[in-house]
Amino acid sequence: MRLLRGVLLASLLLPCVAAFADCPPLKAPRAFVALGTAELKAFDKVEMRSGDLGTGGYTTAEGKVCRQTYRVADGQTAPDEAQVDADYRRQLDAAGAEIAFAANGQITARLAGDAERWMVIYNQPGEVSVVVVERREPPYVLTAPSGHDYRLIGHMPDYVAGPPEVNAGGRQDFHVEDPAGDSDVPVSGNAIHLTYRLADGKTSASDVEVAANYRRRLRELGAQLLSVRDDARTVARFDENGRAIWLSVYSQPGEISLYVVEEKPVQAPPAVPNQLQQRLAADGHVAVYINFDFDKATLKADAAPVLAEIVALLQADPALKLTVEGHTDAAGSRDYNRKLSAQRAEAVVKALVGKGVAAARLQPAGLGATRPLAGNDTAEGRARNRRVELVRN
């Protein structure tokens, strides 16, 4: 009776084990067996040769990923590569898949449908590897902040944080990407370091899934993403009540590191009432500090007194024409900063025109971070560089 129960249990389990060993709709080719259970990722990305169906001959498919490797079973004669190739072509044809690329021991195919799938088969003597990607959006699974988490950002499920390392006078370099040349920006303030490790028996999230979750949360916080080229690294800066918060996330198999620096609020140099005309006459230009919403071209309410000073300057000299220059700090790419500074200059011009200044007297210009007044390696220097300059035409 005990033997019968064992046989019955085995017969019930075998189909499940076989299904879990493969990556549907692909199965093991004849005479091959799986090296174990398939490797599954809830979200990842795979680049593959795809012929005319891709861009430049390649496609990057993102979604749920299954990977498996097969080797020739003990006692079996290894089929040649042509036989394995023919086996998989029959499987793909039966599934209704379209072959996008086939050469040099690789087949790439696409299966259309509600859940589009991309499949890659790598065929070499005695071994076959398959990858199946079911395209889908990344699942948003980041938890709400709790426990050791940083107060504004939760964590990936199945990861456990150790106690945070806190240094009230810490310093951390943050990587900033720029097609013209990357840089590392030193930031000082209240520094927090958290390390998350994968819980026992759990499956590690891919770098792509980790990045997608943290970047979505950072966008919710209104962050400026500064480094996103590498899926294993995300760097961002955002504002909290006038204080800049810098954050970086690094992921590797089984571990996620989070670095945060909360800068001390920096007061921008104040506008000097009734001295704009004097400085403009002496130097031909004058810097004014107008507050915008973080990473946007939206004027804050406290910009009104500075705008009133500029209106008064223009009313006092009806012949005066100005170029309104927008300037940023060096955090972010050059192209991005030029665009943002131009938008801010345009916002100032629009506000002045709305107060009765003729548009023909004002010319907006965005210069980004090309003309700093101070170094960009301190919060104070960056604050000085974020400005609007009025230039006599």
Side-chain angles (χ1 to χ4, degrees):
M1 185 66 177
R2 183 177 299 173
L3 178 61
L4 180 60
R5 287 179 179 174
V7 172
L8 179 60
L9 180 60
S11 67
L12 291 173
L13 289 177
L14 278 174
C16 298
V17 172
F20 192 59
D22 295 321
C23 295
L26 300 179
K27 298 179 180 179
R30 185 183 62 82
F32 284 75
V33 293
L35 292 186
T37 57
E39 177 191 353
L40 301 175
K41 292 289 185 183
F43 189 81
D44 206 345
K45 72 178 181 183
V46 179
E47 185 180 64
M48 59 193 75
R49 297 285 297 272
S50 59
D52 293 339
L53 293 184
T55 302
Y58 286 85
T59 288
T60 298
E62 296 184 344
K64 182 179 178 182
V65 176
C66 178
R67 294 180 173 90
Q68 183 56 283
T69 298
Y70 303 97
R71 287 184 182 161
V72 178
D74 292 342
Q76 295 288 326
T77 300
D80 61 33
E81 292 183 44
Q83 290 174 312
V84 175
D85 183 273
D87 189 326
Y88 274 110
R89 285 177 179 269
R90 284 192 294 270
Q91 291 190 39
L92 293 168
D93 183 64
E98 174 187 9
I99 293 179
F101 175 85
N104 304 318
Q106 177 179 333
I107 300 175
T108 303
R110 172 181 173 269
L111 179 59
D114 293 338
E116 180 186 63
R117 294 181 185 179
W118 282 84
M119 296 157 281
V120 190
I121 299 130
Y122 301 97
N123 178 12
Q124 55 184 326
E127 183 175 300
V128 176
S129 296
V130 302
V131 182
V132 177
V133 184
E134 182 180 320
R135 276 193 158 159
R136 60 174 61 177
E137 292 297 314
Y140 186 45
V141 296
L142 203 70
T143 69
S146 64
H148 291 312
D149 289 337
Y150 180 59
R151 55 191 176 81
L152 297 175
I153 297 179
H155 62 273
M156 295 295 291
D158 302 331
Y159 285 78
V160 180
E165 301 173 18
V166 181
N167 183 353
R171 177 186 169 103
Q172 177 72 31
D173 287 345
F174 289 86
H175 191 76
V176 176
E177 293 172 352
D178 186 345
D182 294 2
S183 62
D184 291 320
V185 178
V187 180
S188 300
N190 185 42
I192 303 165
H193 176 211
L194 280 163
T195 300
Y196 295 88
R197 290 188 171 85
L198 189 66
D200 292 342
K202 300 297 183 180
T203 300
S204 179
S206 69
D207 291 338
V208 181
E209 185 179 7
V210 172
N213 275 266
Y214 277 97
R215 290 172 190 177
R216 176 168 169 176
R217 175 56 183 151
L218 288 164
R219 290 189 185 97
E220 291 173 352
L221 292 169
Q224 175 188 10
L225 298 181
L226 301 171
S227 184
V228 295
R229 191 183 301 136
D230 184 347
D231 292 323
R233 176 175 60 196
T234 298
V235 178
R237 178 178 66 168
F238 58 95
D239 176 81
E240 184 188 42
N241 301 321
R243 173 173 59 178
I245 297 177
W246 296 69
L247 181 145
S248 62
V249 182
Y250 299 90
S251 61
Q252 57 182 316
E255 184 174 302
I256 299 170
S257 295
L258 187 74
Y259 296 88
V260 180
V261 176
E262 301 171 328
E263 285 188 325
K264 293 181 180 180
V266 176
Q267 186 68 38
V272 181
N274 305 317
Q275 290 191 16
L276 294 184
Q277 185 175 12
Q278 178 183 342
R279 293 183 179 182
L280 196 62
D283 303 326
H285 62 92
V286 60
V288 293
Y289 290 87
I290 299 175
N291 290 327
F292 296 85
D293 286 346
F294 178 77
D295 202 34
K296 296 180 181 179
T298 305
L299 288 160
K300 289 191 172 183
D302 60 9
V306 184
L307 294 173
E309 288 289 331
I310 300 173
V311 171
L313 170 71
L314 289 160
Q315 288 175 340
D317 184 357
L320 178 62
K321 293 184 178 181
L322 297 173
T323 296
V324 179
E325 295 179 348
H327 297 263
T328 68
D329 62 27
S333 72
R334 297 183 189 183
D335 288 344
Y336 182 87
N337 284 331
R338 284 194 186 97
K339 181 179 178 180
L340 178 61
S341 63
Q343 291 172 339
R344 288 180 168 179
E346 290 164 3
V348 172
V349 168
K350 183 178 179 180
L352 294 172
V353 170
K355 294 181 181 296
V357 178
R361 300 177 65 188
L362 303 169
Q363 179 64 44
L367 299 179
T370 59
R371 296 182 184 174
L373 296 179
N376 281 288
D377 55 352
T378 66
E380 293 76 14
R382 289 189 286 270
R384 283 195 66 197
N385 293 333
R386 295 189 295 268
R387 68 194 188 280
V388 170
E389 286 212 9
L390 308 177
V391 181
R392 181 188 291 275
N393 289 344

